[in-house]
Amino acid sequence: MKGQLFINGEWTGDYIETMDVFDPATGEKVGSIPKAGEKETKLAIDAAHDAFKDWSLLPAQDRASYLMKWHDLILENKDEIAEILTKEMGKPLAEAKGEIAYSASFIAWYAEEAKRIYGRTIPASAPNKRIQIMKQPVGVVASITPWNFPAAMIARKMAPALAAGCTFVAKPAELTPFTAIKLFELCEEAGFPKGVVNLVMGDAPSIGRVMTTSDKVRKLTFTGSTEVGKLLIQQSANKVHNLSLELGGHAPMIVCDDADLDLAVEGVIASKFRNAGQTCVCGNRIYVQEGILESFMKKLEVKVKGLKVGNGLEEGVDIGPLIEKKSYEKVQRHVEDAVAKGANVVIGGNGVANNDSYFFHPTILTNVTDDMVVMQEETFGPVAPIQTFKTDSEVVAKANDTRFGLAAYFFTENYSRGTKIAEGLEYGIVGWNDGVPAVAQAPFGGMKESGMGREGGMEGIEAFLETKFLSISLK
Ligand code: SIN
């Protein structure tokens, strides 16, 4: 495959040096893309800036129609996009198909929301005054998205931005650009006017610098690590750019002694092992109440043993490769540190690295203590460290004892107990008996160092709107 940039309605970038993209399951080359830098990013931003006025003035129904055309084309091409996604990212094909449907659900949701951007009228305090509140698009939006959800993270940002009347410059991860390229080919087919949607990729630091310092960009939306998020905040400070940041997590999963254990195990498997543990909302540390550890472990072990590791294109594979060598080394480091400090490996504990492909076996660790790295940092791999707890207040305090606050999960059948746990957790997303809560209609995002702003739901479009207060004095 040979990728190109999409700027001002044209495919371009042949004149630039290229970067190779590899299949993480085989180490083989998937294709190459242009290594865009400052010049191309500026061109893309200029195109989005020039297209902004007409796009923002288009009736919401018309913007919604473009979005729905894009949505329909994505679903028509679902199998092809999913295969591209699996080839460049590694997740099992069934998960990739699920991601395409998930992506499309954001587009459909925001096509509808475009029509519901309401302002308000407020009673004034003087008889000759009127107060109106208007909602207007923020302007040109720049986005930087990660490799772990190469389609959904673009759709979750681009759909509400376009629905709000903003124009868009996307920078997908250089590890997984071809899914984005396919999505943009479908944008072209859907007929979005020139400059409304633009795609650049290549030299990430240069692209990021232009996006964070441009006068023409009004909003930067980013999903990725907390470290890069902090850098983007610093770089954007001078322009006081409007930012939405969806950053790292370190999700606790709490299994209470009155939980439905089958449901809890299902939730842990779905949250922990989906995408080989490479999601920022995946359960990173599991707390099981004393007294049910043995029965919980029995059920969990059976399920984990049944998970098949392999190339995501093969039938029946549940766990694909890790994206790259440094991810593999991190997971290995976390396991080794835990074992050195006394953890017991119940299942897994090692990986297979060959030909530039890096697989890690689904792993369960017990006898885990708080000083282990695996209990302090996001592992981003298929490792489930399990610790016991005695009381709810103890476990909620442990769950909150982190700089992260993205997602947390708990399992209990008791409504009062669950309500108190939910209220005590300092997290933006809480799953109660639910290991996979994210949906288009609900706000997704974190507290503390897990970020700022929300994607999805009505908050997701609000992120791309300015609020204008109009005070009218009548004669
Ligand atoms: C993420 O890991 O960044 C997104 C996960 C999701 O949307 O479920």
Side-chain angles (χ1 to χ4, degrees):
M1 280 193 270
K2 189 167 167 291
Q4 284 188 305
L5 316 173
F6 190 65
I7 299 176
N8 203 23
E10 308 285 339
W11 290 100
T12 176
D14 278 344
Y15 60 95
I16 316 171
E17 72 170 291
T18 57
M19 297 169 81
D20 290 338
V21 178
F22 298 95
D23 178 342
T26 61
E28 283 163 18
K29 183 172 155 182
V30 173
S32 61
I33 51 165
K35 189 174 180 185
E38 257 185 45
K39 178 180 158 198
E40 294 73 29
T41 312
K42 281 185 183 155
L43 287 172
I45 292 170
D46 286 347
H49 188 257
D50 292 346
F52 174 69
K53 192 165 175 215
D54 286 350
W55 180 252
S56 64
L57 292 177
L58 213 60
Q61 275 78 358
D62 293 358
R63 292 199 302 271
S65 300
Y66 281 109
L67 283 165
M68 281 315 292
K69 271 189 218 150
W70 188 35
H71 164 273
D72 295 347
L73 286 165
I74 288 174
L75 289 185
E76 277 166 33
N77 290 274
K78 184 168 137 192
D79 291 347
E80 186 194 340
I81 313 171
E83 202 171 314
I84 295 171
L85 199 160
T86 295
K87 269 206 184 117
E88 65 179 359
M89 192 270 137
K91 70 176 58 172
L93 197 55
E95 273 189 44
K97 286 183 186 170
E99 181 179 337
I100 304 309
Y102 181 50
S103 309
S105 73
F106 285 100
I107 302 170
W109 174 264
Y110 285 110
E112 289 303 317
E113 286 296 280
K115 304 169 201 164
R116 300 185 182 94
I117 300 173
Y118 304 128
R120 61 194 208 276
T121 304
I122 302 176
S125 37
N128 66 327
K129 285 220 180 183
R130 302 291 181 270
I131 296 175
Q132 286 175 18
I133 309 300
M134 295 177 188
K135 294 285 180 181
Q136 293 181 315
V138 291
V140 173
V141 174
S143 94
I144 302 178
T145 47
W147 50 264
N148 62 340
F149 286 87
M153 296 304 100
I154 292 178
R156 191 154 80 184
K157 294 173 184 337
M158 198 155 122
L162 297 176
C166 299
T167 50
F168 206 84
V169 180
K171 190 208 85 68
E174 284 68 31
L175 291 169
T176 57
F178 287 107
T179 306
I181 290 168
K182 185 70 204 173
L183 292 180
F184 273 73
E185 282 172 13
L186 299 176
C187 280
E188 186 186 25
E189 211 176 317
F192 282 98
K194 270 184 172 194
V196 170
V197 295
N198 303 275
L199 176 68
V200 290
M201 78 267 306
D203 180 15
S206 310
I207 296 172
R209 231 181 347 264
V210 175
M211 286 178 161
T212 48
T213 54
S214 166
D215 282 321
K216 293 181 179 169
V217 170
R218 288 295 169 81
K219 166 113 201 170
L220 178 71
T221 171
F222 168 72
T223 296
S225 72
T226 295
E227 283 54 48
V228 175
K230 287 180 183 178
L231 184 72
L232 294 173
I233 294 173
Q234 284 166 9
Q235 288 182 355
S236 309
N238 216 22
K239 297 288 174 194
V240 196
H241 274 151
N242 182 329
L243 297 177
S244 287
L245 304 173
E246 202 260 273
L247 309 177
H250 179 36
M253 302 196 87
I254 301 168
V255 185
C256 298
D257 56 6
D258 57 5
D260 174 333
L261 287 192
D262 291 317
L263 201 64
V265 167
E266 199 184 296
V268 168
I269 296 285
S271 171
K272 177 66 260 182
F273 296 106
R274 178 168 74 112
N275 211 6
Q278 301 174 108
T279 82
C280 50
V281 287
C282 78
N284 210 52
R285 47 202 168 118
I286 299 163
Y287 299 102
V288 180
Q289 195 156 18
E290 275 182 2
I292 57 158
L293 183 65
E294 208 179 309
S295 31
F296 173 79
M297 288 301 293
K298 258 193 207 149
K299 287 178 187 282
L300 185 67
E301 276 178 54
V302 171
K303 291 284 183 194
V304 174
K305 274 187 191 142
L307 295 174
K308 186 173 163 198
V309 180
N311 186 327
L313 289 175
E314 282 165 23
E315 193 64 34
V317 164
D318 303 292
I319 310 258
L322 295 174
I323 188 73
E324 57 182 342
K325 188 175 180 193
K326 68 176 187 228
S327 310
Y328 179 84
E329 288 170 349
K330 182 181 184 193
V331 177
Q332 209 169 28
R333 204 167 54 244
H334 279 208
V335 173
E336 282 168 7
D337 170 80
V339 170
K341 290 174 180 158
N344 176 30
V345 178
V346 181
I347 295 178
N350 56 5
V352 188
N354 53 34
N355 294 332
D356 289 328
S357 65
Y358 302 93
F359 293 87
F360 210 90
H361 291 118
T363 297
I364 304 179
L365 303 174
T366 53
N367 208 25
V368 163
T369 48
D370 294 340
D371 61 330
M372 295 174 182
V373 182
V374 80
M375 295 301 274
Q376 294 172 359
E377 285 176 24
E378 190 174 37
T379 304
F380 239 59
V383 179
I386 297 178
Q387 206 181 72
T388 54
F389 71 95
K390 284 191 174 66
T391 65
D392 292 4
S393 56
E394 172 208 347
V395 78
V396 169
K398 270 198 179 188
N400 290 338
D401 186 18
T402 168
R403 63 190 172 105
F404 298 106
L406 184 57
Y409 309 85
F410 65 89
F411 298 85
T412 173
E413 291 298 298
N414 183 304
Y415 181 76
S416 301
R417 185 177 187 184
T419 303
K420 286 181 195 156
I421 294 175
E423 287 170 0
L425 289 168
E426 294 166 357
Y427 286 83
I429 304 158
V430 177
W432 178 350
N433 290 344
D434 186 358
V436 191
V439 282
Q441 64 270 36
F444 184 108
M447 299 181 183
K448 301 191 213 166
E449 291 188 28
S450 286
M452 52 175 88
R454 294 292 182 271
E455 296 180 340
M458 58 175 151
E459 290 83 353
I461 195 162
E462 191 63 39
F464 297 100
L465 294 166
E466 285 285 10
T467 300
K468 186 179 280 178
F469 156 40
L470 174 67
S471 179
I472 308 169
S473 183
L474 306 178
K475 280 194 189 160

